[in-house]
Structure formats: structure tokens, C-alpha cells
Amino acid sequence: MCNEENVTKSALPQPTNIWIAGGGGKNGDYERLEDMCARKLEYNTSIWTCNEQTKRGDIIVMYVTSPYSCIHSIWRANSVGIYNPFDYYQSRTTICDGIKIQPITLNDLKTDKYFSNISVVKQNLRGVNGKKFTAEDYEQLLRFIEQKGGKTDTLPKLFECEKMDFGKIKVEKDVEEKILIPILNRLGYGENDWVRQLSLKAGRKEKAIPDFVFFAHGKTHFETAPFVVEAKLDMSSSAERRNAFNQCFSYAKMLNAKLMGICDKERFVIYTVENGSASIDNPVFESNWNSTYNDEKTGLCLNKLVGKEVVKSLLK
């Protein structure tokens, strides 16, 4: 079920997840989807049933039951999933930027070597609204679309890969400007989403100055922020890495952050902070920069952990 509306739409962040949504024929879903894909109006969106964990920018794979049982189009979420326990459909988002694809029928999926083995297809795509598609599922869907003669170059991708030439990295500021900030931009952040060299009151006279503090807020001294990052030139030795970790962890505790990251010219490392504790031996993400920029799955993993929409959700 959906309702059509026009809303202001700004640039979407990188997708964090892929979901399946469904439409029927009795309430005119198919005709509405056809019309929206054909018109391609910039601000044209529709409210649609979704998973409550949907984040803005997520990819929505649209399946229709009639007049044809097929995957009809690919969309983007223009809002987070809104949960309403008093609504029959409970969770909804707004979908936008729909692109109609070469129809892939249920029978097509059931006879495909890959899709015939995934649970939603085994269940004949019943009750698909809000079901999750994995990154591998989506890659295979793009493969299937091309196999059927369709084009995928205009369809949304999970993480836009690009070979990067960082140039000469001589000082810590080079790490920040040439490597870290470009990946932050790719994760959906703009320069207004972080504060650099934020002065924090530590004791009567001392000041702590983290390199990057995201969404800092508070009445007096920016008492809280969900995510902090400390950049160094080189953490190749265990002593240098531990010093960077301890320094960043001290900032994270001061700001009640739930995520912290350390990076140098070679790598990016992310840790979770739970109950005021973090372990240097148990990062939730660690990758060299080449893989982070060039490998779609690595980039997606990072986006799921510290993408703008994910970190913003920690403010709630």
C-alpha cells in the first residue's frame, strides 16, 4: 500500500542496507509505480511500507504481485523507517528515484541457481515488505538484470568504488585532508557534520583537542558526541597504535561517544565503546585505505558502522 506525495528531496547519502518492498494490484500500486517511474519528477515520492530499521538512502527492491509477479523497479528511501504501532502497516518510509528494470518474475528467480536457494524466494516472496537483501543478493540481482538484457549503469550501487591517488603523505594533516575527509564525504558527511580540533574542558586548566568530533552537542562544553576520530601519520608500531588508541579513547569517554576511530596513512580502525570500555584488540572494523576505497564490500561494511545516517541515529 502507498500514498503519493511531493516532498523536498536533497542529495541522498550512500545506501546502508537493501530491503525488499511489495505492491499489489487491488489498490493501484502497479499503476502508481509505472507512472512514477515514467515521470521521473525530481520531488516525486510515495509513502511505502518498509522495515523500521530503514535509513535514508537505502536501496528498495520493489516486487509486485499483480498484474505480473515480478521484481518491477529499484528505489531509494528518502526517509528513515517510521514505526507506528497503531497503523496497519506499522512501518513506513518514502521512496524516490524509482528506476524500472527488465521484469524478473518469480519463476525466473526460482529457476536461477543463486536465487532458488535464498529464503524469500523459497517462500514465494510472500510477506516481503521489510525483508532484508544482502549485498551478495543485490550483486546477483544486478547480474540477473544484465543477463536478461537490462542495463545496470544507472541503478544505485552500495558503495561507489574509485581508485585513489593520495599523493605524498608527509604529515598528519595530509592524512586528514587527502585520505580521511574524502572517505567521510563518501559516507554522506559534509563539513558541517564534524568539528575539528574541538577544545574540551578536562579539569580546571587542561584542554583536550580531538581531531574530528561528529555531531557534538551539549549546553556548555559539547558534553556528548556519538563518534570521534583521531588521525596520526604513522601507527605502524604497536606502541604508536596503542598511544593513538588511548588518546582517542580518552576523548570518547569525555564525550560519552559510542564509536571511536583511529587512522594513519595506511589504515582505518573503528571500535565500539560500551559502558565506558573499549578493547584495542577487538576492533569492529579494520582495513587499509586502498581496500576501503576500492572494494565495494569493505566500503559498505564501513558505511554500515559509521555512515552519516547510522551515526546520526545514535543521537536519539
Side-chain angles (χ1 to χ4, degrees):
M1 174 184 172
C2 68
N3 294 306
E4 190 172 338
E5 61 173 24
N6 292 322
V7 298
T8 300
K9 180 171 70 68
S10 57
L12 293 170
Q14 284 278 348
T16 303
N17 307 288
I18 314 103
W19 309 98
I20 312 177
K26 294 181 180 179
N27 49 14
D29 286 349
Y30 179 82
E31 290 76 13
R32 190 173 292 111
L33 291 169
E34 285 275 296
D35 182 52
M36 289 177 65
C37 286
R39 285 190 288 165
K40 297 185 181 297
L41 295 179
E42 184 179 0
Y43 301 129
N44 191 257
T45 70
S46 277
I47 299 172
W48 213 278
T49 308
C50 71
N51 188 294
E52 64 182 286
Q53 296 180 29
T54 300
K55 292 181 171 56
R56 188 167 180 267
D58 280 358
I59 296 171
I60 310 291
V61 177
M62 187 65 66
Y63 174 77
V64 293
T65 57
S66 62
Y68 313 102
S69 296
C70 67
I71 295 177
H72 171 275
S73 46
I74 308 294
W75 300 76
R76 302 290 298 281
N78 194 33
S79 67
V80 298
I82 305 299
Y83 177 73
N84 181 354
F86 302 105
D87 194 317
Y88 177 79
Y89 291 98
Q90 296 193 336
S91 297
R92 296 190 180 193
T93 186
T94 52
I95 60 170
C96 64
D97 294 351
I99 300 175
K100 187 176 179 181
I101 65 169
Q102 187 77 13
I104 297 178
T105 67
L106 176 59
N107 187 61
D108 289 335
L109 296 170
K110 294 179 74 171
T111 55
D112 180 76
K113 184 176 181 181
Y114 177 84
F115 283 104
S116 61
N117 290 308
I118 69 172
S119 60
V120 291
V121 174
K122 288 182 177 180
Q123 296 166 9
N124 293 319
L125 292 172
R126 293 194 182 97
V128 294
N129 273 316
K131 293 289 181 70
K132 198 164 189 177
F133 239 36
T134 68
E136 178 65 17
D137 293 341
Y138 190 64
E139 285 184 11
Q140 290 291 333
L141 180 62
L142 296 181
R143 181 266 307 168
F144 208 156
I145 292 170
E146 291 180 345
Q147 185 177 309
K148 289 178 71 66
K151 295 182 178 180
T152 60
D153 56 320
T154 60
L155 295 177
K157 304 298 190 299
L158 287 172
F159 191 82
E160 295 293 341
C161 297
E162 180 183 354
K163 291 185 178 180
M164 296 289 290
D165 180 3
F166 302 123
K168 292 183 179 180
I169 306 297
K170 296 181 178 180
V171 295
E172 184 178 299
K173 189 175 181 180
D174 290 337
V175 175
E176 298 175 1
E177 298 286 343
K178 297 179 180 180
I179 305 178
L180 179 59
I181 289 178
I183 203 71
L184 293 175
N185 294 153
R186 202 169 294 194
L187 295 171
Y189 295 98
E191 60 181 11
N192 293 327
D193 297 323
W194 65 70
V195 179
R196 299 176 70 176
Q197 304 292 310
L198 175 68
S199 295
L200 303 173
K201 189 174 181 181
R204 291 185 177 180
K205 297 182 179 180
E206 296 180 40
K207 285 187 177 180
I209 306 178
D211 287 335
F212 287 78
V213 178
F214 296 82
F215 304 117
H217 61 287
K219 294 182 179 179
T220 308
H221 297 292
F222 297 107
E223 292 90 347
T224 60
F227 182 36
V228 295
V229 173
E230 187 67 16
K232 300 296 181 185
L233 175 61
D234 192 341
M235 300 187 302
S236 56
S237 75
S238 58
E240 289 164 337
R241 177 162 174 162
R242 182 165 292 279
N243 287 338
F245 174 88
N246 290 337
Q247 185 178 358
C248 192
F249 181 48
S250 68
Y251 300 148
K253 287 195 296 183
M254 292 174 65
L255 289 162
N256 298 306
K258 296 180 181 179
L259 291 162
M260 55 175 272
I262 56 176
C263 66
D264 69 355
K265 62 183 179 180
E266 298 292 337
R267 66 189 63 77
F268 196 16
V269 191
I270 304 294
Y271 301 89
T272 56
V273 184
E274 297 179 354
N275 301 317
S277 178
S279 171
I280 191 172
D281 298 317
N282 294 297
V284 292
F285 176 90
E286 180 169 3
S287 176
N288 65 69
W289 287 115
N290 283 332
S291 179
T292 303
Y293 273 94
N294 298 332
D295 181 70
E296 185 179 272
K297 291 182 180 179
T298 304
L300 176 62
C301 179
L302 181 62
N303 196 38
K304 284 177 175 288
L305 290 170
V306 295
K308 177 178 176 178
E309 298 302 310
V310 177
V311 172
K312 276 180 68 178
S313 70
L314 299 178
L315 293 169
K316 298 176 182 179

